Amino acid sequence: MQKFIAEESFWELFPEAAIGVVVATGMKPTGEVPFEDSAAIAKLLAEANTQADRHLTSNTISQNEAVRVWREAYQRFKTKKGARCSIENLLKRVLKGNPVGSITPSVDIYNAVSLKYALPVGGEDIDSFEGDLRLGITEGGDAFCALGEDENDPTLAGELCYRDDAGAVCRCWNWRDGRRTALSDDSKSAFLVIECVDPTRLGDLDAALRELAQLVERFLGASVETRAIVDRAHPDLVIVP
């Protein structure tokens, strides 16, 4: 059995947080996604770039509410200099007129959901995990090679990160994915996650989670094995039975 566990060190910092999880299996590789479905995903992403404007009420990125709550959250744990929540990075591109472009179908789907709801969304390849996936404060030194990089950049003491038995999976909570566990064109099973630190937005979290599950079923032919919300009262779930 393989589990996702949000550790007590996480809940001590964010007792009101909620984490939506979709476990999807049997995803089509990129080469088997029909052209019309690829086009539909591209359209969804383009529409989401436009929909993101409603979350941008200020030209100063940090003054937008969807970003402000995460700036405050990132002050509660040790971070790499310049690390920002993934949703800030996406919204900043929209604000600058540089729309988020296509990467691979699975990533495009979760980026579209992220932009539409202004919530951080990420995904990892379950088949790359070693042992349980955990979210918590680390003592540091966890092996990590960022996506697009070639050198090991270990975690810092006091950093909040996702990690497994082999090292870090995503640094500074939801800042940067690692190369080892990132979704690829050939990934078959995905751990998809949506994070919420604002308890007033739990309705948006639920809606985003439902849409994410529907999209991977519809366009990637995936089977959704799990769709659930992890909170302090329910801090773990099974990824692989």
Side-chain angles (χ1 to χ4, degrees):
M1 181 183 294
Q2 195 172 40
K3 300 177 73 175
F4 167 58
I5 304 163
E7 298 173 330
E8 182 59 24
S9 61
F10 170 76
W11 300 115
E12 288 174 357
L13 292 179
F14 300 103
E16 295 185 300
I19 301 172
V21 174
V22 169
V23 174
T25 62
M27 296 191 308
K28 296 175 185 175
T30 295
E32 294 181 13
V33 177
F35 173 79
E36 57 270 23
D37 286 344
S38 294
I41 293 169
K43 182 179 179 183
L44 276 174
L45 184 58
E47 291 173 347
N49 275 285
T50 300
Q51 291 167 329
D53 280 334
R54 67 189 177 94
H55 302 289
L56 296 168
T57 57
S58 171
N59 287 328
T60 302
I61 190 67
S62 62
Q63 292 180 2
N64 293 286
E65 185 63 18
V67 172
R68 184 191 63 78
V69 295
W70 283 101
R71 285 281 186 103
E72 292 179 358
Y74 267 47
Q75 293 174 9
R76 301 185 196 180
F77 56 90
K78 183 71 174 178
T79 65
K80 289 270 289 185
K81 184 177 181 180
R84 297 286 187 239
C85 173
S86 64
I87 188 57
E88 175 172 342
N89 294 327
L90 295 185
L91 290 175
K92 186 180 292 184
R93 292 188 61 174
V94 173
L95 189 63
K96 291 183 176 181
N98 182 26
V100 177
S102 178
I103 297 174
T104 196
S106 57
V107 176
D108 293 352
I109 286 172
Y110 77 63
N111 277 342
V113 173
S114 184
L115 286 164
K116 179 177 178 179
Y117 291 93
L119 291 168
V121 185
E124 308 292 344
D125 188 324
I126 290 173
D127 294 332
S128 70
F129 292 165
E130 296 191 24
D132 293 334
L133 179 68
R134 307 181 302 280
L135 173 63
I137 296 295
T138 178
E139 295 179 357
D142 306 277
F144 181 81
C145 182
L147 193 60
E149 303 291 339
D150 296 319
E151 296 184 2
N152 183 46
D153 183 18
T155 57
L156 305 170
E159 182 180 334
L160 176 61
C161 69
Y162 290 93
R163 64 197 191 283
D164 63 8
D165 292 348
V169 169
C170 189
R171 293 284 306 272
C172 300
W173 194 349
N174 48 35
W175 169 54
R176 290 201 74 177
D177 269 331
R179 188 170 65 178
R180 174 174 62 89
T181 59
L183 289 172
S184 71
D185 286 335
D186 298 318
S187 295
K188 296 179 180 178
S189 299
F191 177 86
L192 303 167
V193 60
I194 308 177
E195 294 128 341
C196 180
V197 291
D198 182 352
T200 69
R201 298 200 63 200
L202 293 179
D204 289 339
L205 174 63
D206 185 63
L209 194 65
R210 289 176 182 275
E211 185 164 342
L212 181 62
Q214 291 168 355
L215 291 173
V216 296
E217 283 182 324
R218 177 182 175 187
F219 292 120
L220 302 182
S223 297
V224 173
E225 307 296 339
T226 300
R227 189 192 74 217
I229 292 178
V230 170
D231 57 23
R232 192 165 197 174
H234 310 88
D236 58 63
L237 56 79
V238 173
I239 300 174
V240 179

